[in-house]
């Protein structure tokens, strides 16, 4: 994402889902997104992130419970501004995301025999742990999910 194989300004929009919680250099990726967007182009996406002002111990816990690079997205406004975007809209969708995680867990438990055959025991357990951890992180206020929309000037 830091060196997209496209000329400058060919796209009118970029859509992503929870990508930034998996990236170490979020700002460079946003700047590259800006480069490939036409003026007036939009970036729209969901982002799992942490609330501002977590203690170091809470940040560590959020990293253990959520995506491994979730920290560093505490302030979408700051990242968006630094990348040269404007018109930031942030909508908290954490409650809906919690319901989705709960539904994933229920489906995994209901389909456990089939999923274990398909994924293998280790991958199934990893997925189960990940979903359970996400729920704990949400319930403890360490993980949030937002819909973020911004525009390239």
């Amino acid at each position: 994402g830091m060196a997209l194989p496209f000329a400058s300004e060919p796209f009118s929009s970029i859509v992503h889902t929870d990508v930034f919680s998996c990236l170490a250099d979020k700002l460079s990726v946003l700047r590259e997104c800006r480069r490939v967007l036409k003026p007036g182009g939009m970036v729209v996406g969901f982002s799992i992130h942490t609330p501002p002002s977590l203690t170091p111990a809470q940040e560590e816990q959020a990293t253990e419970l959520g995506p491994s690079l979730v920290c560093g997205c505490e302030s979408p406004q700051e990242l968006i501004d630094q990348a040269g975007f404007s018109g930031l809209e942030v909508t908290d969708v954490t409650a809906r995301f919690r319901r989705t995680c709960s539904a994933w867990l229920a489906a995994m438990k209901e389909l456990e025999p089939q999923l274990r055959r398909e994924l293998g025991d280790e991958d199934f357990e990893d997925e189960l742990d990940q979903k359970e951890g996400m729920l704990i992180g949400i319930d403890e206020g360490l993980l949030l999910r937002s819909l973020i929309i911004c525009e390239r000037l």
Side-chain angles (χ1 to χ4, degrees), residues 16-23 26 30 44-50 67 69-70 72-76 79-80 90-94 97 134 143-149:
H16 67 84
T17 302
D18 302 323
V19 170
F20 289 98
S21 59
C22 302
L23 301 172
K26 296 162 182 46
L30 274 173
V44 178
F46 289 99
S47 183
I48 299 169
H49 57 97
T50 57
L69 297 171
V70 70
C73 266
E74 301 86 3
S75 173
L79 277 175
I80 294 301
V90 178
T91 304
D92 185 349
V93 295
T94 305
F97 186 51
M134 194 78 71
L143 298 173
L144 306 172
R145 189 175 196 225
S146 297
L147 172 62
I148 299 174
I149 302 170

PDB file of all heavy atoms in Angstrom, residues 16-23 26 30 44-50 67 69-70 72-76 79-80 90-94 97 134 143-149:
ATOM      1  N   HIS A  16     -11.938   0.638   1.730  1.00  0.00           N
ATOM      2  CA  HIS A  16     -11.185  -0.370   2.493  1.00  0.00           C
ATOM      3  C   HIS A  16     -12.002  -0.823   3.692  1.00  0.00           C
ATOM      4  O   HIS A  16     -12.894  -0.127   4.153  1.00  0.00           O
ATOM      5  CB  HIS A  16      -9.818   0.165   2.929  1.00  0.00           C
ATOM      6  CG  HIS A  16      -9.904   1.262   3.938  1.00  0.00           C
ATOM      7  ND1 HIS A  16     -10.029   1.016   5.280  1.00  0.00           N
ATOM      8  CD2 HIS A  16      -9.891   2.607   3.802  1.00  0.00           C
ATOM      9  CE1 HIS A  16     -10.080   2.157   5.941  1.00  0.00           C
ATOM     10  NE2 HIS A  16     -10.017   3.147   5.071  1.00  0.00           N
ATOM     11  N   THR A  17     -11.666  -1.987   4.179  1.00  0.00           N
ATOM     12  CA  THR A  17     -12.326  -2.520   5.365  1.00  0.00           C
ATOM     13  C   THR A  17     -11.264  -2.998   6.347  1.00  0.00           C
ATOM     14  O   THR A  17     -10.582  -3.986   6.092  1.00  0.00           O
ATOM     15  CB  THR A  17     -13.264  -3.687   4.996  1.00  0.00           C
ATOM     16  OG1 THR A  17     -14.209  -3.212   4.045  1.00  0.00           O
ATOM     17  CG2 THR A  17     -13.999  -4.202   6.200  1.00  0.00           C
ATOM     18  N   ASP A  18     -11.099  -2.258   7.414  1.00  0.00           N
ATOM     19  CA  ASP A  18     -10.214  -2.625   8.523  1.00  0.00           C
ATOM     20  C   ASP A  18      -8.755  -2.822   8.125  1.00  0.00           C
ATOM     21  O   ASP A  18      -8.016  -3.534   8.787  1.00  0.00           O
ATOM     22  CB  ASP A  18     -10.755  -3.869   9.245  1.00  0.00           C
ATOM     23  CG  ASP A  18     -12.162  -3.652   9.770  1.00  0.00           C
ATOM     24  OD1 ASP A  18     -12.448  -2.528  10.225  1.00  0.00           O
ATOM     25  OD2 ASP A  18     -12.970  -4.586   9.718  1.00  0.00           O
ATOM     26  N   VAL A  19      -8.326  -2.170   7.067  1.00  0.00           N
ATOM     27  CA  VAL A  19      -6.945  -2.298   6.603  1.00  0.00           C
ATOM     28  C   VAL A  19      -5.973  -1.617   7.557  1.00  0.00           C
ATOM     29  O   VAL A  19      -4.911  -2.162   7.864  1.00  0.00           O
ATOM     30  CB  VAL A  19      -6.795  -1.704   5.178  1.00  0.00           C
ATOM     31  CG1 VAL A  19      -5.345  -1.586   4.758  1.00  0.00           C
ATOM     32  CG2 VAL A  19      -7.576  -2.531   4.184  1.00  0.00           C
ATOM     33  N   PHE A  20      -6.313  -0.443   8.044  1.00  0.00           N
ATOM     34  CA  PHE A  20      -5.343   0.350   8.792  1.00  0.00           C
ATOM     35  C   PHE A  20      -4.950  -0.280  10.123  1.00  0.00           C
ATOM     36  O   PHE A  20      -3.871  -0.010  10.624  1.00  0.00           O
ATOM     37  CB  PHE A  20      -5.837   1.788   8.955  1.00  0.00           C
ATOM     38  CG  PHE A  20      -5.790   2.521   7.651  1.00  0.00           C
ATOM     39  CD1 PHE A  20      -6.926   2.646   6.879  1.00  0.00           C
ATOM     40  CD2 PHE A  20      -4.597   3.014   7.173  1.00  0.00           C
ATOM     41  CE1 PHE A  20      -6.878   3.279   5.651  1.00  0.00           C
ATOM     42  CE2 PHE A  20      -4.528   3.650   5.940  1.00  0.00           C
ATOM     43  CZ  PHE A  20      -5.676   3.781   5.178  1.00  0.00           C
ATOM     44  N   SER A  21      -5.769  -1.143  10.670  1.00  0.00           N
ATOM     45  CA  SER A  21      -5.396  -1.815  11.913  1.00  0.00           C
ATOM     46  C   SER A  21      -4.377  -2.925  11.668  1.00  0.00           C
ATOM     47  O   SER A  21      -3.875  -3.524  12.608  1.00  0.00           O
ATOM     48  CB  SER A  21      -6.631  -2.387  12.604  1.00  0.00           C
ATOM     49  OG  SER A  21      -7.297  -3.299  11.765  1.00  0.00           O
ATOM     50  N   CYS A  22      -4.058  -3.161  10.399  1.00  0.00           N
ATOM     51  CA  CYS A  22      -3.073  -4.189  10.033  1.00  0.00           C
ATOM     52  C   CYS A  22      -1.796  -3.579   9.457  1.00  0.00           C
ATOM     53  O   CYS A  22      -0.935  -4.303   8.957  1.00  0.00           O
ATOM     54  CB  CYS A  22      -3.677  -5.150   9.011  1.00  0.00           C
ATOM     55  SG  CYS A  22      -5.162  -5.971   9.583  1.00  0.00           S
ATOM     56  N   LEU A  23      -1.670  -2.257   9.492  1.00  0.00           N
ATOM     57  CA  LEU A  23      -0.534  -1.572   8.881  1.00  0.00           C
ATOM     58  C   LEU A  23       0.337  -0.888   9.929  1.00  0.00           C
ATOM     59  O   LEU A  23      -0.184  -0.216  10.818  1.00  0.00           O
ATOM     60  CB  LEU A  23      -1.023  -0.501   7.895  1.00  0.00           C
ATOM     61  CG  LEU A  23      -1.881  -0.962   6.738  1.00  0.00           C
ATOM     62  CD1 LEU A  23      -2.432   0.236   5.986  1.00  0.00           C
ATOM     63  CD2 LEU A  23      -1.079  -1.860   5.812  1.00  0.00           C
ATOM     64  N   LYS A  26       0.740   3.685   8.747  1.00  0.00           N
ATOM     65  CA  LYS A  26      -0.581   4.103   8.294  1.00  0.00           C
ATOM     66  C   LYS A  26      -0.527   5.398   7.491  1.00  0.00           C
ATOM     67  O   LYS A  26      -1.205   5.548   6.474  1.00  0.00           O
ATOM     68  CB  LYS A  26      -1.506   4.257   9.500  1.00  0.00           C
ATOM     69  CG  LYS A  26      -1.762   2.945  10.236  1.00  0.00           C
ATOM     70  CD  LYS A  26      -2.296   3.197  11.628  1.00  0.00           C
ATOM     71  CE  LYS A  26      -2.537   1.970  12.455  1.00  0.00           C
ATOM     72  NZ  LYS A  26      -1.538   0.954  12.485  1.00  0.00           N
ATOM     73  N   LEU A  30      -1.872   6.202   3.642  1.00  0.00           N
ATOM     74  CA  LEU A  30      -2.857   7.250   3.355  1.00  0.00           C
ATOM     75  C   LEU A  30      -2.330   8.257   2.340  1.00  0.00           C
ATOM     76  O   LEU A  30      -3.067   8.702   1.458  1.00  0.00           O
ATOM     77  CB  LEU A  30      -3.252   7.970   4.643  1.00  0.00           C
ATOM     78  CG  LEU A  30      -4.372   7.344   5.444  1.00  0.00           C
ATOM     79  CD1 LEU A  30      -4.543   8.069   6.772  1.00  0.00           C
ATOM     80  CD2 LEU A  30      -5.668   7.355   4.662  1.00  0.00           C
ATOM     81  N   VAL A  44     -13.164   5.902   1.686  1.00  0.00           N
ATOM     82  CA  VAL A  44     -14.237   5.461   2.562  1.00  0.00           C
ATOM     83  C   VAL A  44     -13.845   4.105   3.111  1.00  0.00           C
ATOM     84  O   VAL A  44     -13.423   3.223   2.356  1.00  0.00           O
ATOM     85  CB  VAL A  44     -15.574   5.327   1.789  1.00  0.00           C
ATOM     86  CG1 VAL A  44     -16.675   4.821   2.705  1.00  0.00           C
ATOM     87  CG2 VAL A  44     -15.954   6.650   1.140  1.00  0.00           C
ATOM     88  N   GLY A  45     -13.954   3.945   4.403  1.00  0.00           N
ATOM     89  CA  GLY A  45     -13.617   2.637   4.936  1.00  0.00           C
ATOM     90  C   GLY A  45     -13.923   2.489   6.406  1.00  0.00           C
ATOM     91  O   GLY A  45     -14.171   3.462   7.114  1.00  0.00           O
ATOM     92  N   PHE A  46     -13.915   1.246   6.813  1.00  0.00           N
ATOM     93  CA  PHE A  46     -14.064   0.912   8.220  1.00  0.00           C
ATOM     94  C   PHE A  46     -12.681   0.763   8.824  1.00  0.00           C
ATOM     95  O   PHE A  46     -11.756   0.271   8.180  1.00  0.00           O
ATOM     96  CB  PHE A  46     -14.837  -0.401   8.389  1.00  0.00           C
ATOM     97  CG  PHE A  46     -16.283  -0.268   8.048  1.00  0.00           C
ATOM     98  CD1 PHE A  46     -16.751  -0.661   6.810  1.00  0.00           C
ATOM     99  CD2 PHE A  46     -17.184   0.260   8.963  1.00  0.00           C
ATOM    100  CE1 PHE A  46     -18.093  -0.543   6.482  1.00  0.00           C
ATOM    101  CE2 PHE A  46     -18.523   0.388   8.654  1.00  0.00           C
ATOM    102  CZ  PHE A  46     -18.979  -0.015   7.406  1.00  0.00           C
ATOM    103  N   SER A  47     -12.553   1.167  10.071  1.00  0.00           N
ATOM    104  CA  SER A  47     -11.281   1.056  10.759  1.00  0.00           C
ATOM    105  C   SER A  47     -11.510   0.614  12.193  1.00  0.00           C
ATOM    106  O   SER A  47     -12.315   1.200  12.918  1.00  0.00           O
ATOM    107  CB  SER A  47     -10.545   2.401  10.743  1.00  0.00           C
ATOM    108  OG  SER A  47      -9.280   2.272  11.351  1.00  0.00           O
ATOM    109  N   ILE A  48     -10.804  -0.446  12.582  1.00  0.00           N
ATOM    110  CA  ILE A  48     -10.756  -0.842  13.982  1.00  0.00           C
ATOM    111  C   ILE A  48      -9.633  -0.025  14.595  1.00  0.00           C
ATOM    112  O   ILE A  48      -8.524   0.034  14.047  1.00  0.00           O
ATOM    113  CB  ILE A  48     -10.485  -2.347  14.130  1.00  0.00           C
ATOM    114  CG1 ILE A  48     -11.596  -3.156  13.460  1.00  0.00           C
ATOM    115  CG2 ILE A  48     -10.354  -2.730  15.607  1.00  0.00           C
ATOM    116  CD1 ILE A  48     -11.297  -4.629  13.329  1.00  0.00           C
ATOM    117  N   HIS A  49      -9.916   0.639  15.706  1.00  0.00           N
ATOM    118  CA  HIS A  49      -8.913   1.503  16.319  1.00  0.00           C
ATOM    119  C   HIS A  49      -9.130   1.543  17.824  1.00  0.00           C
ATOM    120  O   HIS A  49     -10.083   0.972  18.345  1.00  0.00           O
ATOM    121  CB  HIS A  49      -8.958   2.909  15.698  1.00  0.00           C
ATOM    122  CG  HIS A  49     -10.292   3.571  15.799  1.00  0.00           C
ATOM    123  ND1 HIS A  49     -10.591   4.476  16.792  1.00  0.00           N
ATOM    124  CD2 HIS A  49     -11.420   3.456  15.049  1.00  0.00           C
ATOM    125  CE1 HIS A  49     -11.833   4.895  16.637  1.00  0.00           C
ATOM    126  NE2 HIS A  49     -12.362   4.290  15.585  1.00  0.00           N
ATOM    127  N   THR A  50      -8.234   2.213  18.486  1.00  0.00           N
ATOM    128  CA  THR A  50      -8.325   2.360  19.933  1.00  0.00           C
ATOM    129  C   THR A  50      -8.808   3.770  20.259  1.00  0.00           C
ATOM    130  O   THR A  50      -8.633   4.692  19.464  1.00  0.00           O
ATOM    131  CB  THR A  50      -6.957   2.120  20.597  1.00  0.00           C
ATOM    132  OG1 THR A  50      -6.005   3.023  20.035  1.00  0.00           O
ATOM    133  CG2 THR A  50      -6.489   0.698  20.390  1.00  0.00           C
ATOM    134  N   PRO A  67      -6.578  -6.530  16.356  1.00  0.00           N
ATOM    135  CA  PRO A  67      -5.548  -6.641  15.326  1.00  0.00           C
ATOM    136  C   PRO A  67      -4.193  -6.200  15.882  1.00  0.00           C
ATOM    137  O   PRO A  67      -4.115  -5.281  16.701  1.00  0.00           O
ATOM    138  CB  PRO A  67      -6.033  -5.684  14.236  1.00  0.00           C
ATOM    139  CG  PRO A  67      -7.506  -5.561  14.471  1.00  0.00           C
ATOM    140  CD  PRO A  67      -7.689  -5.681  15.949  1.00  0.00           C
ATOM    141  N   LEU A  69      -1.734  -4.465  14.906  1.00  0.00           N
ATOM    142  CA  LEU A  69      -1.232  -3.102  14.712  1.00  0.00           C
ATOM    143  C   LEU A  69      -2.340  -2.069  14.918  1.00  0.00           C
ATOM    144  O   LEU A  69      -2.341  -1.007  14.309  1.00  0.00           O
ATOM    145  CB  LEU A  69      -0.600  -2.970  13.321  1.00  0.00           C
ATOM    146  CG  LEU A  69       0.618  -3.869  13.100  1.00  0.00           C
ATOM    147  CD1 LEU A  69       1.060  -3.859  11.647  1.00  0.00           C
ATOM    148  CD2 LEU A  69       1.772  -3.447  14.003  1.00  0.00           C
ATOM    149  N   VAL A  70      -3.288  -2.392  15.794  1.00  0.00           N
ATOM    150  CA  VAL A  70      -4.432  -1.516  16.024  1.00  0.00           C
ATOM    151  C   VAL A  70      -4.027  -0.181  16.627  1.00  0.00           C
ATOM    152  O   VAL A  70      -4.632   0.846  16.334  1.00  0.00           O
ATOM    153  CB  VAL A  70      -5.507  -2.217  16.883  1.00  0.00           C
ATOM    154  CG1 VAL A  70      -5.052  -2.414  18.307  1.00  0.00           C
ATOM    155  CG2 VAL A  70      -6.827  -1.481  16.818  1.00  0.00           C
ATOM    156  N   GLY A  72      -2.062   3.267  17.124  1.00  0.00           N
ATOM    157  CA  GLY A  72      -1.565   4.193  16.116  1.00  0.00           C
ATOM    158  C   GLY A  72      -2.693   4.758  15.270  1.00  0.00           C
ATOM    159  O   GLY A  72      -2.469   5.558  14.379  1.00  0.00           O
ATOM    160  N   CYS A  73      -3.907   4.369  15.549  1.00  0.00           N
ATOM    161  CA  CYS A  73      -5.088   4.890  14.848  1.00  0.00           C
ATOM    162  C   CYS A  73      -6.006   5.611  15.819  1.00  0.00           C
ATOM    163  O   CYS A  73      -7.191   5.738  15.579  1.00  0.00           O
ATOM    164  CB  CYS A  73      -5.866   3.748  14.201  1.00  0.00           C
ATOM    165  SG  CYS A  73      -5.436   3.444  12.507  1.00  0.00           S
ATOM    166  N   GLU A  74      -5.468   6.073  16.933  1.00  0.00           N
ATOM    167  CA  GLU A  74      -6.308   6.678  17.957  1.00  0.00           C
ATOM    168  C   GLU A  74      -6.991   7.936  17.446  1.00  0.00           C
ATOM    169  O   GLU A  74      -8.094   8.255  17.849  1.00  0.00           O
ATOM    170  CB  GLU A  74      -5.484   7.031  19.206  1.00  0.00           C
ATOM    171  CG  GLU A  74      -4.802   5.862  19.845  1.00  0.00           C
ATOM    172  CD  GLU A  74      -3.442   5.548  19.234  1.00  0.00           C
ATOM    173  OE1 GLU A  74      -2.980   6.270  18.332  1.00  0.00           O
ATOM    174  OE2 GLU A  74      -2.842   4.551  19.643  1.00  0.00           O
ATOM    175  N   SER A  75      -6.313   8.664  16.564  1.00  0.00           N
ATOM    176  CA  SER A  75      -6.849   9.932  16.084  1.00  0.00           C
ATOM    177  C   SER A  75      -6.943   9.922  14.565  1.00  0.00           C
ATOM    178  O   SER A  75      -6.010  10.338  13.884  1.00  0.00           O
ATOM    179  CB  SER A  75      -5.959  11.087  16.554  1.00  0.00           C
ATOM    180  OG  SER A  75      -6.390  12.287  15.964  1.00  0.00           O
ATOM    181  N   PRO A  76      -8.058   9.458  14.013  1.00  0.00           N
ATOM    182  CA  PRO A  76      -8.205   9.505  12.554  1.00  0.00           C
ATOM    183  C   PRO A  76      -8.030  10.923  12.015  1.00  0.00           C
ATOM    184  O   PRO A  76      -7.457  11.112  10.951  1.00  0.00           O
ATOM    185  CB  PRO A  76      -9.620   8.989  12.323  1.00  0.00           C
ATOM    186  CG  PRO A  76      -9.932   8.157  13.519  1.00  0.00           C
ATOM    187  CD  PRO A  76      -9.202   8.813  14.657  1.00  0.00           C
ATOM    188  N   LEU A  79      -4.271  11.736  11.439  1.00  0.00           N
ATOM    189  CA  LEU A  79      -3.722  11.016  10.283  1.00  0.00           C
ATOM    190  C   LEU A  79      -4.254  11.590   8.966  1.00  0.00           C
ATOM    191  O   LEU A  79      -3.499  11.785   8.015  1.00  0.00           O
ATOM    192  CB  LEU A  79      -4.078   9.533  10.357  1.00  0.00           C
ATOM    193  CG  LEU A  79      -3.201   8.645  11.205  1.00  0.00           C
ATOM    194  CD1 LEU A  79      -3.790   7.237  11.263  1.00  0.00           C
ATOM    195  CD2 LEU A  79      -1.787   8.580  10.659  1.00  0.00           C
ATOM    196  N   ILE A  80      -5.536  11.863   8.916  1.00  0.00           N
ATOM    197  CA  ILE A  80      -6.165  12.395   7.707  1.00  0.00           C
ATOM    198  C   ILE A  80      -5.583  13.757   7.364  1.00  0.00           C
ATOM    199  O   ILE A  80      -5.264  14.044   6.210  1.00  0.00           O
ATOM    200  CB  ILE A  80      -7.704  12.461   7.903  1.00  0.00           C
ATOM    201  CG1 ILE A  80      -8.295  11.059   8.039  1.00  0.00           C
ATOM    202  CG2 ILE A  80      -8.375  13.234   6.790  1.00  0.00           C
ATOM    203  CD1 ILE A  80      -8.059  10.132   6.889  1.00  0.00           C
ATOM    204  N   VAL A  90     -16.517  10.819  10.749  1.00  0.00           N
ATOM    205  CA  VAL A  90     -16.282   9.591  11.506  1.00  0.00           C
ATOM    206  C   VAL A  90     -17.599   9.196  12.170  1.00  0.00           C
ATOM    207  O   VAL A  90     -18.193   9.991  12.891  1.00  0.00           O
ATOM    208  CB  VAL A  90     -15.185   9.778  12.581  1.00  0.00           C
ATOM    209  CG1 VAL A  90     -14.991   8.505  13.378  1.00  0.00           C
ATOM    210  CG2 VAL A  90     -13.869  10.220  11.939  1.00  0.00           C
ATOM    211  N   THR A  91     -18.040   7.967  11.905  1.00  0.00           N
ATOM    212  CA  THR A  91     -19.257   7.440  12.510  1.00  0.00           C
ATOM    213  C   THR A  91     -18.891   6.204  13.317  1.00  0.00           C
ATOM    214  O   THR A  91     -18.345   5.242  12.764  1.00  0.00           O
ATOM    215  CB  THR A  91     -20.291   7.067  11.424  1.00  0.00           C
ATOM    216  OG1 THR A  91     -20.536   8.209  10.610  1.00  0.00           O
ATOM    217  CG2 THR A  91     -21.584   6.580  12.049  1.00  0.00           C
ATOM    218  N   ASP A  92     -19.170   6.245  14.595  1.00  0.00           N
ATOM    219  CA  ASP A  92     -18.880   5.098  15.459  1.00  0.00           C
ATOM    220  C   ASP A  92     -19.866   3.971  15.156  1.00  0.00           C
ATOM    221  O   ASP A  92     -21.076   4.147  15.268  1.00  0.00           O
ATOM    222  CB  ASP A  92     -18.983   5.519  16.921  1.00  0.00           C
ATOM    223  CG  ASP A  92     -18.588   4.425  17.900  1.00  0.00           C
ATOM    224  OD1 ASP A  92     -18.426   3.254  17.488  1.00  0.00           O
ATOM    225  OD2 ASP A  92     -18.438   4.733  19.087  1.00  0.00           O
ATOM    226  N   VAL A  93     -19.336   2.822  14.765  1.00  0.00           N
ATOM    227  CA  VAL A  93     -20.167   1.646  14.477  1.00  0.00           C
ATOM    228  C   VAL A  93     -19.779   0.472  15.378  1.00  0.00           C
ATOM    229  O   VAL A  93     -20.014  -0.683  15.052  1.00  0.00           O
ATOM    230  CB  VAL A  93     -20.094   1.252  12.978  1.00  0.00           C
ATOM    231  CG1 VAL A  93     -20.698   2.340  12.105  1.00  0.00           C
ATOM    232  CG2 VAL A  93     -18.666   0.936  12.558  1.00  0.00           C
ATOM    233  N   THR A  94     -19.195   0.791  16.532  1.00  0.00           N
ATOM    234  CA  THR A  94     -18.706  -0.243  17.442  1.00  0.00           C
ATOM    235  C   THR A  94     -19.822  -1.175  17.900  1.00  0.00           C
ATOM    236  O   THR A  94     -19.628  -2.398  17.952  1.00  0.00           O
ATOM    237  CB  THR A  94     -18.007   0.395  18.659  1.00  0.00           C
ATOM    238  OG1 THR A  94     -16.979   1.279  18.198  1.00  0.00           O
ATOM    239  CG2 THR A  94     -17.397  -0.662  19.559  1.00  0.00           C
ATOM    240  N   PHE A  97     -20.558  -3.565  15.232  1.00  0.00           N
ATOM    241  CA  PHE A  97     -19.431  -4.479  15.076  1.00  0.00           C
ATOM    242  C   PHE A  97     -19.447  -5.543  16.174  1.00  0.00           C
ATOM    243  O   PHE A  97     -19.159  -6.713  15.929  1.00  0.00           O
ATOM    244  CB  PHE A  97     -18.119  -3.702  15.096  1.00  0.00           C
ATOM    245  CG  PHE A  97     -16.907  -4.538  14.791  1.00  0.00           C
ATOM    246  CD1 PHE A  97     -16.856  -5.347  13.662  1.00  0.00           C
ATOM    247  CD2 PHE A  97     -15.815  -4.508  15.632  1.00  0.00           C
ATOM    248  CE1 PHE A  97     -15.734  -6.112  13.384  1.00  0.00           C
ATOM    249  CE2 PHE A  97     -14.692  -5.272  15.350  1.00  0.00           C
ATOM    250  CZ  PHE A  97     -14.653  -6.071  14.232  1.00  0.00           C
ATOM    251  N   MET A 134     -11.628 -10.053  20.420  1.00  0.00           N
ATOM    252  CA  MET A 134     -12.214  -8.822  19.896  1.00  0.00           C
ATOM    253  C   MET A 134     -13.409  -8.396  20.752  1.00  0.00           C
ATOM    254  O   MET A 134     -13.546  -7.231  21.099  1.00  0.00           O
ATOM    255  CB  MET A 134     -12.644  -9.038  18.451  1.00  0.00           C
ATOM    256  CG  MET A 134     -12.959  -7.776  17.713  1.00  0.00           C
ATOM    257  SD  MET A 134     -11.524  -6.848  17.153  1.00  0.00           S
ATOM    258  CE  MET A 134     -10.931  -7.915  15.863  1.00  0.00           C
ATOM    259  N   LEU A 143     -11.245  -1.337  22.136  1.00  0.00           N
ATOM    260  CA  LEU A 143     -11.332  -1.430  20.677  1.00  0.00           C
ATOM    261  C   LEU A 143     -12.621  -0.763  20.207  1.00  0.00           C
ATOM    262  O   LEU A 143     -13.694  -0.991  20.776  1.00  0.00           O
ATOM    263  CB  LEU A 143     -11.315  -2.890  20.225  1.00  0.00           C
ATOM    264  CG  LEU A 143     -10.064  -3.684  20.564  1.00  0.00           C
ATOM    265  CD1 LEU A 143     -10.268  -5.154  20.198  1.00  0.00           C
ATOM    266  CD2 LEU A 143      -8.846  -3.118  19.843  1.00  0.00           C
ATOM    267  N   LEU A 144     -12.485   0.043  19.192  1.00  0.00           N
ATOM    268  CA  LEU A 144     -13.608   0.721  18.557  1.00  0.00           C
ATOM    269  C   LEU A 144     -13.580   0.388  17.070  1.00  0.00           C
ATOM    270  O   LEU A 144     -12.552  -0.023  16.536  1.00  0.00           O
ATOM    271  CB  LEU A 144     -13.486   2.239  18.718  1.00  0.00           C
ATOM    272  CG  LEU A 144     -13.320   2.782  20.135  1.00  0.00           C
ATOM    273  CD1 LEU A 144     -13.022   4.271  20.091  1.00  0.00           C
ATOM    274  CD2 LEU A 144     -14.553   2.498  20.955  1.00  0.00           C
ATOM    275  N   ARG A 145     -14.708   0.600  16.419  1.00  0.00           N
ATOM    276  CA  ARG A 145     -14.747   0.485  14.959  1.00  0.00           C
ATOM    277  C   ARG A 145     -15.540   1.673  14.445  1.00  0.00           C
ATOM    278  O   ARG A 145     -16.613   1.983  14.973  1.00  0.00           O
ATOM    279  CB  ARG A 145     -15.395  -0.809  14.502  1.00  0.00           C
ATOM    280  CG  ARG A 145     -15.232  -1.026  12.990  1.00  0.00           C
ATOM    281  CD  ARG A 145     -15.787  -2.371  12.596  1.00  0.00           C
ATOM    282  NE  ARG A 145     -15.333  -2.777  11.286  1.00  0.00           N
ATOM    283  CZ  ARG A 145     -16.133  -3.290  10.365  1.00  0.00           C
ATOM    284  NH1 ARG A 145     -17.419  -3.444  10.605  1.00  0.00           N
ATOM    285  NH2 ARG A 145     -15.649  -3.657   9.206  1.00  0.00           N
ATOM    286  N   SER A 146     -14.989   2.336  13.440  1.00  0.00           N
ATOM    287  CA  SER A 146     -15.626   3.515  12.884  1.00  0.00           C
ATOM    288  C   SER A 146     -15.672   3.431  11.370  1.00  0.00           C
ATOM    289  O   SER A 146     -14.801   2.819  10.742  1.00  0.00           O
ATOM    290  CB  SER A 146     -14.848   4.785  13.270  1.00  0.00           C
ATOM    291  OG  SER A 146     -14.865   4.970  14.663  1.00  0.00           O
ATOM    292  N   LEU A 147     -16.698   4.068  10.814  1.00  0.00           N
ATOM    293  CA  LEU A 147     -16.767   4.318   9.380  1.00  0.00           C
ATOM    294  C   LEU A 147     -16.139   5.682   9.166  1.00  0.00           C
ATOM    295  O   LEU A 147     -16.554   6.669   9.797  1.00  0.00           O
ATOM    296  CB  LEU A 147     -18.212   4.303   8.890  1.00  0.00           C
ATOM    297  CG  LEU A 147     -18.427   4.732   7.432  1.00  0.00           C
ATOM    298  CD1 LEU A 147     -17.708   3.769   6.482  1.00  0.00           C
ATOM    299  CD2 LEU A 147     -19.895   4.833   7.122  1.00  0.00           C
ATOM    300  N   ILE A 148     -15.132   5.742   8.306  1.00  0.00           N
ATOM    301  CA  ILE A 148     -14.381   6.971   8.090  1.00  0.00           C
ATOM    302  C   ILE A 148     -14.486   7.364   6.619  1.00  0.00           C
ATOM    303  O   ILE A 148     -14.258   6.527   5.725  1.00  0.00           O
ATOM    304  CB  ILE A 148     -12.908   6.792   8.511  1.00  0.00           C
ATOM    305  CG1 ILE A 148     -12.853   6.440  10.001  1.00  0.00           C
ATOM    306  CG2 ILE A 148     -12.095   8.036   8.190  1.00  0.00           C
ATOM    307  CD1 ILE A 148     -11.476   6.098  10.522  1.00  0.00           C
ATOM    308  N   ILE A 149     -14.816   8.624   6.395  1.00  0.00           N
ATOM    309  CA  ILE A 149     -14.942   9.159   5.036  1.00  0.00           C
ATOM    310  C   ILE A 149     -14.138  10.457   4.985  1.00  0.00           C
ATOM    311  O   ILE A 149     -14.254  11.312   5.863  1.00  0.00           O
ATOM    312  CB  ILE A 149     -16.412   9.458   4.686  1.00  0.00           C
ATOM    313  CG1 ILE A 149     -17.261   8.200   4.815  1.00  0.00           C
ATOM    314  CG2 ILE A 149     -16.515  10.059   3.281  1.00  0.00           C
ATOM    315  CD1 ILE A 149     -18.746   8.435   4.716  1.00  0.00           C
TER     316      ILE A 149
END
